[in-house]
Amino acid sequence: DMGIRILGPDLKESGISFEITDDTTVRFGLASIKGVGELAAENIINNRKKTNGYQSIEDFTKFLDTRLANKKVLE
């Protein structure tokens, strides 16, 4: 009703928590996904910055710290 778009979490764009991307758009954060904690989300974001973004699922899994992000997080 208010014209606000809600975007789902995205490995290439989301932060840890909800973010306002422009005047009419809000994006879900990675930690808002069930089973993904703040530490796992932080690890995903830090690796994304180091690698200039994930190019494939293999690229994502190669840099994922399995101590912080388990199988449930990957799913």
Side-chain angles (χ1 to χ4, degrees):
D1 291 344
M2 296 175 60
I4 297 174
R5 291 180 9 180
I6 308 294
L7 302 176
D10 187 330
L11 282 175
K12 293 185 176 188
E13 295 180 18
S14 291
I16 294 175
S17 61
F18 292 90
E19 294 181 344
I20 298 171
T21 57
D22 61 38
D23 290 342
T24 60
T25 308
V26 175
R27 175 160 311 269
F28 268 77
L30 295 174
S32 65
I33 301 170
K34 183 178 179 181
V36 178
E38 285 189 31
L39 291 176
E42 208 171 285
N43 178 253
I44 292 167
I45 293 166
N46 289 338
N47 288 335
R48 179 178 67 199
K49 290 176 184 174
K50 290 178 191 174
T51 62
N52 293 325
Y54 300 116
Q55 304 304 314
S56 65
I57 189 72
E58 291 84 13
D59 194 27
F60 170 69
T61 56
K62 181 169 53 173
F63 295 102
L64 191 64
D65 184 347
T66 55
R67 293 172 295 171
L68 299 174
N70 58 20
K71 179 182 172 186
K72 279 291 217 191
V73 171
L74 187 57
E75 290 173 349

